[in-house]
Amino acid sequence: MSTTGATADPLAALGSLPGVADSVESVRKAVDRVYGHRVMRRRSNEITSEAALRGARGSAALSGADWALEEVRRRSDFSGDGDARTMGAALRLAAEAGQLLSIWRQSPLRVLARLHLVAAADKAERVGRPRQEGEPVDEPLIGLDLPSAAEAHGRLDGLSELIIVGGSAPALVTAAVVHGELLALRPFTSHNGLVARTAERIVLVGSGLDPKSVCPAEVGHAELGQEAYTRALEGYVSGTSEGVAAWIAHCGRAIELGARESTAVCEALQRGAA
């Protein structure tokens, strides 16, 4: 977040980057369209559940487990190979995210540790805490240079402070920065991508932008593709104004696509086809 300078509200300062205000407005319109759909007034719980399932599928796809939605819906055992465990982790995180909203603003580091514990689903020594110096990181689809454990801890503390203090930054900006920082730092020894995308979801819901969690950004990230995801992340890590703005815009587009997905679900329910 080197572009933020020394402003009192560095996240809000990112809102003035070129194109970011347009992304914020476009996201708001997309979200409003979903919430304004007549099906949402009487069947919002069904839309929320379906969005969670589709979001988990999208997040798992970006971590290498690209399964068809119907296969995810059909399966009950996710204890098999690596792809199955990744999918299981994504589903557990989707279920857990809603339970952590009240804790996030007071203790984001506690929430992140909990998310990693849920994703890893074991009690190994390296689970549920930031990595230590020399510990390897299993995140093969993120090819960026890995910051030292000391740098990761420091920047994670800084991010936590920004969240706790709060500010006037649009939800899109905060969510994109949380997502980007966690991917850049990879503070845990595994499952960083899944945790980062779940944290993005928590910010979007907790901020009030998407209170019913019906606009799964993970769906959009997966639809935009791994290559675009990685390229946008590289821009964020570069720290340039252009790179950070492009990452925020990418995250905004992902939310719009997630909103479009849930709008299609609403339409299907209205037709009686789902």
Side-chain angles (χ1 to χ4, degrees):
M1 290 183 291
S2 59
T3 60
T4 60
T7 59
D9 191 349
L11 291 179
L14 295 179
S16 64
L17 292 176
V20 170
D22 290 341
S23 293
V24 169
E25 180 61 21
S26 185
V27 165
R28 167 54 65 190
K29 289 179 179 178
V31 173
D32 285 348
R33 279 194 293 272
V34 179
Y35 279 83
H37 198 286
R38 61 188 302 175
V39 170
M40 280 290 294
R41 291 195 289 272
R42 63 184 188 275
R43 303 179 72 173
S44 64
N45 288 342
E46 292 175 67
I47 307 303
T48 296
S49 295
E50 187 65 17
L53 181 70
R54 294 179 184 223
R57 193 216 72 82
S59 190
L62 287 168
S63 286
D66 192 359
W67 288 17
L69 181 63
E70 291 310 312
E71 175 67 8
V72 180
R73 205 187 301 279
R74 182 186 67 81
R75 288 279 289 268
S76 59
D77 181 6
F78 297 93
S79 61
D81 60 17
D83 283 359
R85 291 193 296 273
T86 296
M87 185 61 68
L91 290 167
R92 289 191 300 273
L93 287 172
E96 187 74 11
Q99 311 303 314
L100 299 172
L101 291 169
S102 63
I103 305 172
W104 174 254
R105 284 295 298 271
Q106 286 74 42
S107 184
L109 296 183
R110 179 181 164 195
V111 169
L112 293 174
R114 174 62 184 170
L115 292 176
H116 187 243
L117 184 66
V118 168
D122 62 44
K123 297 181 179 180
E125 179 186 352
R126 298 174 180 176
V127 170
R129 62 154 176 81
R131 59 184 167 88
Q132 298 174 5
E133 213 64 64
E135 289 183 335
V137 173
D138 180 14
E139 207 73 42
L141 296 183
I142 303 297
L144 302 170
D145 290 341
L146 185 69
S148 69
E151 180 182 351
H153 291 184
R155 285 173 59 179
L156 204 59
D157 286 342
L159 180 64
S160 175
E161 290 174 9
L162 288 175
I163 293 165
I164 292 169
V165 170
S168 59
L172 167 60
V173 172
T174 302
V177 168
V178 167
H179 186 170
E181 281 292 287
L182 292 174
L183 282 178
L185 298 176
R186 281 146 291 163
F188 301 107
T189 57
S190 64
H191 300 93
N192 290 285
L194 294 176
V195 168
R197 291 183 287 275
T198 305
E200 179 185 48
R201 162 85 358 235
I202 288 173
V203 172
L204 294 172
V205 174
S207 68
L209 176 65
D210 181 19
K212 294 182 182 295
S213 194
V214 296
C215 302
E218 307 93 325
V219 168
H221 285 301
E223 184 173 336
L224 291 168
Q226 184 73 47
E227 183 179 346
Y229 187 65
T230 301
R231 186 169 59 250
L233 178 61
E234 288 171 350
Y236 176 83
V237 171
S238 75
T240 66
S241 296
E242 295 80 6
V244 174
W247 169 252
I248 294 171
H250 183 87
C251 291
R253 181 59 180 151
I255 297 168
E256 291 178 48
L257 291 171
R260 186 182 71 179
E261 183 90 352
S262 285
T263 299
V265 173
C266 287
E267 294 291 339
L269 288 172
Q270 185 167 277
R271 294 191 305 269

PDB file of all heavy atoms in Angstrom, residues 213-249:
ATOM      1  N   SER A 213     -25.109 -11.081   1.647  1.00  0.00           N
ATOM      2  CA  SER A 213     -24.093 -11.912   1.006  1.00  0.00           C
ATOM      3  C   SER A 213     -24.637 -12.630  -0.226  1.00  0.00           C
ATOM      4  O   SER A 213     -24.561 -13.860  -0.348  1.00  0.00           O
ATOM      5  CB  SER A 213     -23.522 -12.943   2.000  1.00  0.00           C
ATOM      6  OG  SER A 213     -22.339 -13.532   1.504  1.00  0.00           O
ATOM      7  N   VAL A 214     -25.172 -11.844  -1.155  1.00  0.00           N
ATOM      8  CA  VAL A 214     -25.748 -12.415  -2.365  1.00  0.00           C
ATOM      9  C   VAL A 214     -24.986 -12.008  -3.631  1.00  0.00           C
ATOM     10  O   VAL A 214     -25.444 -12.287  -4.742  1.00  0.00           O
ATOM     11  CB  VAL A 214     -27.243 -12.036  -2.520  1.00  0.00           C
ATOM     12  CG1 VAL A 214     -28.059 -12.622  -1.382  1.00  0.00           C
ATOM     13  CG2 VAL A 214     -27.424 -10.516  -2.592  1.00  0.00           C
ATOM     14  N   CYS A 215     -23.842 -11.362  -3.457  1.00  0.00           N
ATOM     15  CA  CYS A 215     -23.039 -10.938  -4.615  1.00  0.00           C
ATOM     16  C   CYS A 215     -21.642 -11.543  -4.502  1.00  0.00           C
ATOM     17  O   CYS A 215     -20.679 -10.843  -4.146  1.00  0.00           O
ATOM     18  CB  CYS A 215     -22.963  -9.414  -4.691  1.00  0.00           C
ATOM     19  SG  CYS A 215     -24.564  -8.593  -4.807  1.00  0.00           S
ATOM     20  N   PRO A 216     -21.499 -12.830  -4.764  1.00  0.00           N
ATOM     21  CA  PRO A 216     -20.230 -13.524  -4.513  1.00  0.00           C
ATOM     22  C   PRO A 216     -19.118 -13.095  -5.472  1.00  0.00           C
ATOM     23  O   PRO A 216     -19.079 -13.501  -6.634  1.00  0.00           O
ATOM     24  CB  PRO A 216     -20.593 -15.000  -4.707  1.00  0.00           C
ATOM     25  CG  PRO A 216     -21.751 -14.976  -5.661  1.00  0.00           C
ATOM     26  CD  PRO A 216     -22.523 -13.726  -5.324  1.00  0.00           C
ATOM     27  N   ALA A 217     -18.205 -12.283  -4.972  1.00  0.00           N
ATOM     28  CA  ALA A 217     -17.084 -11.831  -5.800  1.00  0.00           C
ATOM     29  C   ALA A 217     -16.256 -12.999  -6.300  1.00  0.00           C
ATOM     30  O   ALA A 217     -15.666 -12.927  -7.384  1.00  0.00           O
ATOM     31  CB  ALA A 217     -16.202 -10.865  -4.992  1.00  0.00           C
ATOM     32  N   GLU A 218     -16.214 -14.087  -5.529  1.00  0.00           N
ATOM     33  CA  GLU A 218     -15.420 -15.243  -5.924  1.00  0.00           C
ATOM     34  C   GLU A 218     -15.867 -15.809  -7.272  1.00  0.00           C
ATOM     35  O   GLU A 218     -15.051 -16.302  -8.050  1.00  0.00           O
ATOM     36  CB  GLU A 218     -15.505 -16.349  -4.849  1.00  0.00           C
ATOM     37  CG  GLU A 218     -15.148 -15.876  -3.459  1.00  0.00           C
ATOM     38  CD  GLU A 218     -16.358 -15.434  -2.645  1.00  0.00           C
ATOM     39  OE1 GLU A 218     -17.304 -14.875  -3.246  1.00  0.00           O
ATOM     40  OE2 GLU A 218     -16.347 -15.636  -1.415  1.00  0.00           O
ATOM     41  N   VAL A 219     -17.169 -15.743  -7.514  1.00  0.00           N
ATOM     42  CA  VAL A 219     -17.700 -16.176  -8.810  1.00  0.00           C
ATOM     43  C   VAL A 219     -17.099 -15.328  -9.926  1.00  0.00           C
ATOM     44  O   VAL A 219     -16.659 -15.839 -10.961  1.00  0.00           O
ATOM     45  CB  VAL A 219     -19.239 -16.071  -8.820  1.00  0.00           C
ATOM     46  CG1 VAL A 219     -19.782 -16.227 -10.240  1.00  0.00           C
ATOM     47  CG2 VAL A 219     -19.850 -17.117  -7.905  1.00  0.00           C
ATOM     48  N   GLY A 220     -17.072 -14.023  -9.705  1.00  0.00           N
ATOM     49  CA  GLY A 220     -16.528 -13.126 -10.713  1.00  0.00           C
ATOM     50  C   GLY A 220     -15.037 -13.301 -10.919  1.00  0.00           C
ATOM     51  O   GLY A 220     -14.551 -13.283 -12.062  1.00  0.00           O
ATOM     52  N   HIS A 221     -14.301 -13.473  -9.829  1.00  0.00           N
ATOM     53  CA  HIS A 221     -12.858 -13.691  -9.956  1.00  0.00           C
ATOM     54  C   HIS A 221     -12.579 -14.934 -10.791  1.00  0.00           C
ATOM     55  O   HIS A 221     -11.684 -14.939 -11.644  1.00  0.00           O
ATOM     56  CB  HIS A 221     -12.219 -13.838  -8.574  1.00  0.00           C
ATOM     57  CG  HIS A 221     -12.086 -12.556  -7.816  1.00  0.00           C
ATOM     58  ND1 HIS A 221     -11.375 -11.484  -8.304  1.00  0.00           N
ATOM     59  CD2 HIS A 221     -12.561 -12.178  -6.605  1.00  0.00           C
ATOM     60  CE1 HIS A 221     -11.420 -10.493  -7.421  1.00  0.00           C
ATOM     61  NE2 HIS A 221     -12.143 -10.887  -6.395  1.00  0.00           N
ATOM     62  N   ALA A 222     -13.346 -15.986 -10.534  1.00  0.00           N
ATOM     63  CA  ALA A 222     -13.146 -17.222 -11.295  1.00  0.00           C
ATOM     64  C   ALA A 222     -13.532 -17.031 -12.761  1.00  0.00           C
ATOM     65  O   ALA A 222     -12.854 -17.526 -13.669  1.00  0.00           O
ATOM     66  CB  ALA A 222     -13.959 -18.362 -10.679  1.00  0.00           C
ATOM     67  N   GLU A 223     -14.602 -16.300 -13.010  1.00  0.00           N
ATOM     68  CA  GLU A 223     -15.049 -16.069 -14.385  1.00  0.00           C
ATOM     69  C   GLU A 223     -14.026 -15.246 -15.163  1.00  0.00           C
ATOM     70  O   GLU A 223     -13.779 -15.485 -16.346  1.00  0.00           O
ATOM     71  CB  GLU A 223     -16.405 -15.376 -14.389  1.00  0.00           C
ATOM     72  CG  GLU A 223     -16.993 -15.191 -15.777  1.00  0.00           C
ATOM     73  CD  GLU A 223     -18.410 -14.658 -15.758  1.00  0.00           C
ATOM     74  OE1 GLU A 223     -19.105 -14.833 -14.744  1.00  0.00           O
ATOM     75  OE2 GLU A 223     -18.826 -14.060 -16.778  1.00  0.00           O
ATOM     76  N   LEU A 224     -13.425 -14.269 -14.509  1.00  0.00           N
ATOM     77  CA  LEU A 224     -12.407 -13.450 -15.168  1.00  0.00           C
ATOM     78  C   LEU A 224     -11.142 -14.243 -15.449  1.00  0.00           C
ATOM     79  O   LEU A 224     -10.380 -13.895 -16.352  1.00  0.00           O
ATOM     80  CB  LEU A 224     -12.092 -12.230 -14.296  1.00  0.00           C
ATOM     81  CG  LEU A 224     -13.219 -11.196 -14.198  1.00  0.00           C
ATOM     82  CD1 LEU A 224     -12.932 -10.188 -13.088  1.00  0.00           C
ATOM     83  CD2 LEU A 224     -13.423 -10.478 -15.525  1.00  0.00           C
ATOM     84  N   GLY A 225     -10.901 -15.293 -14.681  1.00  0.00           N
ATOM     85  CA  GLY A 225      -9.819 -16.220 -14.987  1.00  0.00           C
ATOM     86  C   GLY A 225      -8.552 -16.023 -14.169  1.00  0.00           C
ATOM     87  O   GLY A 225      -8.264 -14.928 -13.688  1.00  0.00           O
ATOM     88  N   GLN A 226      -7.806 -17.113 -14.055  1.00  0.00           N
ATOM     89  CA  GLN A 226      -6.581 -17.109 -13.259  1.00  0.00           C
ATOM     90  C   GLN A 226      -5.544 -16.131 -13.809  1.00  0.00           C
ATOM     91  O   GLN A 226      -4.871 -15.427 -13.048  1.00  0.00           O
ATOM     92  CB  GLN A 226      -5.987 -18.528 -13.232  1.00  0.00           C
ATOM     93  CG  GLN A 226      -4.750 -18.676 -12.355  1.00  0.00           C
ATOM     94  CD  GLN A 226      -5.083 -18.638 -10.883  1.00  0.00           C
ATOM     95  OE1 GLN A 226      -6.007 -19.317 -10.437  1.00  0.00           O
ATOM     96  NE2 GLN A 226      -4.343 -17.863 -10.110  1.00  0.00           N
ATOM     97  N   GLU A 227      -5.423 -16.061 -15.113  1.00  0.00           N
ATOM     98  CA  GLU A 227      -4.413 -15.183 -15.706  1.00  0.00           C
ATOM     99  C   GLU A 227      -4.697 -13.716 -15.394  1.00  0.00           C
ATOM    100  O   GLU A 227      -3.797 -12.962 -14.983  1.00  0.00           O
ATOM    101  CB  GLU A 227      -4.353 -15.387 -17.216  1.00  0.00           C
ATOM    102  CG  GLU A 227      -3.275 -14.556 -17.904  1.00  0.00           C
ATOM    103  CD  GLU A 227      -3.208 -14.793 -19.402  1.00  0.00           C
ATOM    104  OE1 GLU A 227      -3.806 -15.781 -19.878  1.00  0.00           O
ATOM    105  OE2 GLU A 227      -2.545 -13.992 -20.095  1.00  0.00           O
ATOM    106  N   ALA A 228      -5.936 -13.301 -15.560  1.00  0.00           N
ATOM    107  CA  ALA A 228      -6.303 -11.914 -15.264  1.00  0.00           C
ATOM    108  C   ALA A 228      -6.166 -11.630 -13.775  1.00  0.00           C
ATOM    109  O   ALA A 228      -5.754 -10.526 -13.378  1.00  0.00           O
ATOM    110  CB  ALA A 228      -7.730 -11.644 -15.733  1.00  0.00           C
ATOM    111  N   TYR A 229      -6.508 -12.599 -12.961  1.00  0.00           N
ATOM    112  CA  TYR A 229      -6.397 -12.472 -11.502  1.00  0.00           C
ATOM    113  C   TYR A 229      -4.938 -12.228 -11.107  1.00  0.00           C
ATOM    114  O   TYR A 229      -4.628 -11.295 -10.355  1.00  0.00           O
ATOM    115  CB  TYR A 229      -6.921 -13.760 -10.885  1.00  0.00           C
ATOM    116  CG  TYR A 229      -7.059 -13.816  -9.379  1.00  0.00           C
ATOM    117  CD1 TYR A 229      -7.955 -12.997  -8.702  1.00  0.00           C
ATOM    118  CD2 TYR A 229      -6.339 -14.749  -8.643  1.00  0.00           C
ATOM    119  CE1 TYR A 229      -8.121 -13.102  -7.330  1.00  0.00           C
ATOM    120  CE2 TYR A 229      -6.500 -14.862  -7.274  1.00  0.00           C
ATOM    121  CZ  TYR A 229      -7.397 -14.032  -6.622  1.00  0.00           C
ATOM    122  OH  TYR A 229      -7.555 -14.138  -5.258  1.00  0.00           O
ATOM    123  N   THR A 230      -4.051 -13.049 -11.644  1.00  0.00           N
ATOM    124  CA  THR A 230      -2.633 -12.924 -11.324  1.00  0.00           C
ATOM    125  C   THR A 230      -2.060 -11.610 -11.836  1.00  0.00           C
ATOM    126  O   THR A 230      -1.289 -10.938 -11.143  1.00  0.00           O
ATOM    127  CB  THR A 230      -1.852 -14.104 -11.931  1.00  0.00           C
ATOM    128  OG1 THR A 230      -2.380 -15.332 -11.406  1.00  0.00           O
ATOM    129  CG2 THR A 230      -0.368 -14.004 -11.596  1.00  0.00           C
ATOM    130  N   ARG A 231      -2.446 -11.228 -13.043  1.00  0.00           N
ATOM    131  CA  ARG A 231      -1.945  -9.983 -13.633  1.00  0.00           C
ATOM    132  C   ARG A 231      -2.398  -8.770 -12.807  1.00  0.00           C
ATOM    133  O   ARG A 231      -1.618  -7.853 -12.545  1.00  0.00           O
ATOM    134  CB  ARG A 231      -2.415  -9.858 -15.073  1.00  0.00           C
ATOM    135  CG  ARG A 231      -1.828  -8.658 -15.812  1.00  0.00           C
ATOM    136  CD  ARG A 231      -2.113  -8.735 -17.300  1.00  0.00           C
ATOM    137  NE  ARG A 231      -3.535  -8.771 -17.597  1.00  0.00           N
ATOM    138  CZ  ARG A 231      -4.190  -9.832 -18.065  1.00  0.00           C
ATOM    139  NH1 ARG A 231      -3.529 -10.960 -18.302  1.00  0.00           N
ATOM    140  NH2 ARG A 231      -5.485  -9.783 -18.317  1.00  0.00           N
ATOM    141  N   ALA A 232      -3.650  -8.767 -12.386  1.00  0.00           N
ATOM    142  CA  ALA A 232      -4.154  -7.662 -11.572  1.00  0.00           C
ATOM    143  C   ALA A 232      -3.456  -7.628 -10.216  1.00  0.00           C
ATOM    144  O   ALA A 232      -3.122  -6.549  -9.703  1.00  0.00           O
ATOM    145  CB  ALA A 232      -5.666  -7.789 -11.391  1.00  0.00           C
ATOM    146  N   LEU A 233      -3.218  -8.802  -9.644  1.00  0.00           N
ATOM    147  CA  LEU A 233      -2.521  -8.857  -8.362  1.00  0.00           C
ATOM    148  C   LEU A 233      -1.103  -8.318  -8.483  1.00  0.00           C
ATOM    149  O   LEU A 233      -0.614  -7.614  -7.590  1.00  0.00           O
ATOM    150  CB  LEU A 233      -2.503 -10.295  -7.835  1.00  0.00           C
ATOM    151  CG  LEU A 233      -1.755 -10.514  -6.517  1.00  0.00           C
ATOM    152  CD1 LEU A 233      -2.383  -9.706  -5.395  1.00  0.00           C
ATOM    153  CD2 LEU A 233      -1.726 -12.004  -6.176  1.00  0.00           C
ATOM    154  N   GLU A 234      -0.441  -8.635  -9.583  1.00  0.00           N
ATOM    155  CA  GLU A 234       0.913  -8.112  -9.810  1.00  0.00           C
ATOM    156  C   GLU A 234       0.900  -6.587  -9.831  1.00  0.00           C
ATOM    157  O   GLU A 234       1.821  -5.935  -9.342  1.00  0.00           O
ATOM    158  CB  GLU A 234       1.472  -8.666 -11.119  1.00  0.00           C
ATOM    159  CG  GLU A 234       1.838 -10.138 -11.044  1.00  0.00           C
ATOM    160  CD  GLU A 234       2.186 -10.719 -12.404  1.00  0.00           C
ATOM    161  OE1 GLU A 234       1.957 -10.030 -13.436  1.00  0.00           O
ATOM    162  OE2 GLU A 234       2.682 -11.866 -12.453  1.00  0.00           O
ATOM    163  N   GLY A 235      -0.156  -6.002 -10.402  1.00  0.00           N
ATOM    164  CA  GLY A 235      -0.289  -4.555 -10.403  1.00  0.00           C
ATOM    165  C   GLY A 235      -0.412  -4.008  -8.992  1.00  0.00           C
ATOM    166  O   GLY A 235       0.210  -2.996  -8.647  1.00  0.00           O
ATOM    167  N   TYR A 236      -1.196  -4.683  -8.172  1.00  0.00           N
ATOM    168  CA  TYR A 236      -1.340  -4.251  -6.775  1.00  0.00           C
ATOM    169  C   TYR A 236       0.001  -4.315  -6.043  1.00  0.00           C
ATOM    170  O   TYR A 236       0.394  -3.365  -5.361  1.00  0.00           O
ATOM    171  CB  TYR A 236      -2.366  -5.132  -6.056  1.00  0.00           C
ATOM    172  CG  TYR A 236      -2.477  -4.789  -4.584  1.00  0.00           C
ATOM    173  CD1 TYR A 236      -3.270  -3.734  -4.162  1.00  0.00           C
ATOM    174  CD2 TYR A 236      -1.767  -5.508  -3.631  1.00  0.00           C
ATOM    175  CE1 TYR A 236      -3.360  -3.397  -2.824  1.00  0.00           C
ATOM    176  CE2 TYR A 236      -1.847  -5.178  -2.295  1.00  0.00           C
ATOM    177  CZ  TYR A 236      -2.641  -4.127  -1.889  1.00  0.00           C
ATOM    178  OH  TYR A 236      -2.711  -3.789  -0.552  1.00  0.00           O
ATOM    179  N   VAL A 237       0.694  -5.407  -6.222  1.00  0.00           N
ATOM    180  CA  VAL A 237       1.966  -5.603  -5.511  1.00  0.00           C
ATOM    181  C   VAL A 237       3.009  -4.598  -5.973  1.00  0.00           C
ATOM    182  O   VAL A 237       3.901  -4.211  -5.208  1.00  0.00           O
ATOM    183  CB  VAL A 237       2.460  -7.056  -5.700  1.00  0.00           C
ATOM    184  CG1 VAL A 237       3.873  -7.239  -5.158  1.00  0.00           C
ATOM    185  CG2 VAL A 237       1.502  -8.023  -5.012  1.00  0.00           C
ATOM    186  N   SER A 238       2.891  -4.129  -7.210  1.00  0.00           N
ATOM    187  CA  SER A 238       3.850  -3.140  -7.710  1.00  0.00           C
ATOM    188  C   SER A 238       3.815  -1.848  -6.897  1.00  0.00           C
ATOM    189  O   SER A 238       4.798  -1.110  -6.837  1.00  0.00           O
ATOM    190  CB  SER A 238       3.561  -2.821  -9.184  1.00  0.00           C
ATOM    191  OG  SER A 238       2.408  -1.982  -9.312  1.00  0.00           O
ATOM    192  N   GLY A 239       2.666  -1.563  -6.295  1.00  0.00           N
ATOM    193  CA  GLY A 239       2.531  -0.365  -5.482  1.00  0.00           C
ATOM    194  C   GLY A 239       2.314   0.913  -6.268  1.00  0.00           C
ATOM    195  O   GLY A 239       2.173   1.981  -5.668  1.00  0.00           O
ATOM    196  N   THR A 240       2.285   0.837  -7.579  1.00  0.00           N
ATOM    197  CA  THR A 240       2.042   2.040  -8.382  1.00  0.00           C
ATOM    198  C   THR A 240       0.573   2.417  -8.315  1.00  0.00           C
ATOM    199  O   THR A 240      -0.297   1.564  -8.084  1.00  0.00           O
ATOM    200  CB  THR A 240       2.437   1.818  -9.844  1.00  0.00           C
ATOM    201  OG1 THR A 240       1.564   0.822 -10.416  1.00  0.00           O
ATOM    202  CG2 THR A 240       3.891   1.370  -9.961  1.00  0.00           C
ATOM    203  N   SER A 241       0.281   3.689  -8.530  1.00  0.00           N
ATOM    204  CA  SER A 241      -1.112   4.138  -8.536  1.00  0.00           C
ATOM    205  C   SER A 241      -1.925   3.380  -9.579  1.00  0.00           C
ATOM    206  O   SER A 241      -3.057   2.958  -9.322  1.00  0.00           O
ATOM    207  CB  SER A 241      -1.178   5.642  -8.820  1.00  0.00           C
ATOM    208  OG  SER A 241      -0.559   6.373  -7.789  1.00  0.00           O
ATOM    209  N   GLU A 242      -1.327   3.210 -10.776  1.00  0.00           N
ATOM    210  CA  GLU A 242      -2.024   2.508 -11.855  1.00  0.00           C
ATOM    211  C   GLU A 242      -2.293   1.053 -11.481  1.00  0.00           C
ATOM    212  O   GLU A 242      -3.379   0.522 -11.742  1.00  0.00           O
ATOM    213  CB  GLU A 242      -1.210   2.571 -13.145  1.00  0.00           C
ATOM    214  CG  GLU A 242      -1.033   3.966 -13.714  1.00  0.00           C
ATOM    215  CD  GLU A 242       0.068   4.767 -13.021  1.00  0.00           C
ATOM    216  OE1 GLU A 242       0.788   4.194 -12.154  1.00  0.00           O
ATOM    217  OE2 GLU A 242       0.204   5.962 -13.328  1.00  0.00           O
ATOM    218  N   GLY A 243      -1.288   0.408 -10.895  1.00  0.00           N
ATOM    219  CA  GLY A 243      -1.425  -0.996 -10.534  1.00  0.00           C
ATOM    220  C   GLY A 243      -2.464  -1.224  -9.455  1.00  0.00           C
ATOM    221  O   GLY A 243      -3.286  -2.157  -9.537  1.00  0.00           O
ATOM    222  N   VAL A 244      -2.456  -0.373  -8.430  1.00  0.00           N
ATOM    223  CA  VAL A 244      -3.420  -0.509  -7.346  1.00  0.00           C
ATOM    224  C   VAL A 244      -4.835  -0.217  -7.860  1.00  0.00           C
ATOM    225  O   VAL A 244      -5.791  -0.934  -7.538  1.00  0.00           O
ATOM    226  CB  VAL A 244      -3.059   0.423  -6.174  1.00  0.00           C
ATOM    227  CG1 VAL A 244      -4.153   0.399  -5.104  1.00  0.00           C
ATOM    228  CG2 VAL A 244      -1.719   0.013  -5.558  1.00  0.00           C
ATOM    229  N   ALA A 245      -4.972   0.813  -8.674  1.00  0.00           N
ATOM    230  CA  ALA A 245      -6.285   1.147  -9.237  1.00  0.00           C
ATOM    231  C   ALA A 245      -6.811   0.011 -10.108  1.00  0.00           C
ATOM    232  O   ALA A 245      -8.013  -0.302 -10.079  1.00  0.00           O
ATOM    233  CB  ALA A 245      -6.196   2.439 -10.044  1.00  0.00           C
ATOM    234  N   ALA A 246      -5.923  -0.612 -10.873  1.00  0.00           N
ATOM    235  CA  ALA A 246      -6.338  -1.720 -11.736  1.00  0.00           C
ATOM    236  C   ALA A 246      -6.805  -2.907 -10.905  1.00  0.00           C
ATOM    237  O   ALA A 246      -7.767  -3.599 -11.277  1.00  0.00           O
ATOM    238  CB  ALA A 246      -5.185  -2.121 -12.659  1.00  0.00           C
ATOM    239  N   TRP A 247      -6.136  -3.170  -9.782  1.00  0.00           N
ATOM    240  CA  TRP A 247      -6.554  -4.263  -8.895  1.00  0.00           C
ATOM    241  C   TRP A 247      -7.931  -3.970  -8.301  1.00  0.00           C
ATOM    242  O   TRP A 247      -8.801  -4.846  -8.262  1.00  0.00           O
ATOM    243  CB  TRP A 247      -5.522  -4.479  -7.796  1.00  0.00           C
ATOM    244  CG  TRP A 247      -5.984  -5.384  -6.696  1.00  0.00           C
ATOM    245  CD1 TRP A 247      -6.309  -5.029  -5.420  1.00  0.00           C
ATOM    246  CD2 TRP A 247      -6.176  -6.814  -6.772  1.00  0.00           C
ATOM    247  NE1 TRP A 247      -6.692  -6.138  -4.700  1.00  0.00           N
ATOM    248  CE2 TRP A 247      -6.624  -7.239  -5.502  1.00  0.00           C
ATOM    249  CE3 TRP A 247      -6.027  -7.756  -7.792  1.00  0.00           C
ATOM    250  CZ2 TRP A 247      -6.908  -8.584  -5.222  1.00  0.00           C
ATOM    251  CZ3 TRP A 247      -6.319  -9.089  -7.522  1.00  0.00           C
ATOM    252  CH2 TRP A 247      -6.753  -9.490  -6.245  1.00  0.00           C
ATOM    253  N   ILE A 248      -8.140  -2.745  -7.846  1.00  0.00           N
ATOM    254  CA  ILE A 248      -9.440  -2.380  -7.287  1.00  0.00           C
ATOM    255  C   ILE A 248     -10.526  -2.528  -8.346  1.00  0.00           C
ATOM    256  O   ILE A 248     -11.616  -3.057  -8.072  1.00  0.00           O
ATOM    257  CB  ILE A 248      -9.400  -0.948  -6.726  1.00  0.00           C
ATOM    258  CG1 ILE A 248      -8.447  -0.872  -5.519  1.00  0.00           C
ATOM    259  CG2 ILE A 248     -10.806  -0.491  -6.310  1.00  0.00           C
ATOM    260  CD1 ILE A 248      -8.181   0.540  -5.028  1.00  0.00           C
ATOM    261  N   ALA A 249     -10.230  -2.083  -9.561  1.00  0.00           N
ATOM    262  CA  ALA A 249     -11.202  -2.217 -10.654  1.00  0.00           C
ATOM    263  C   ALA A 249     -11.486  -3.685 -10.958  1.00  0.00           C
ATOM    264  O   ALA A 249     -12.634  -4.058 -11.244  1.00  0.00           O
ATOM    265  CB  ALA A 249     -10.686  -1.502 -11.901  1.00  0.00           C
TER     266      ALA A 249
END
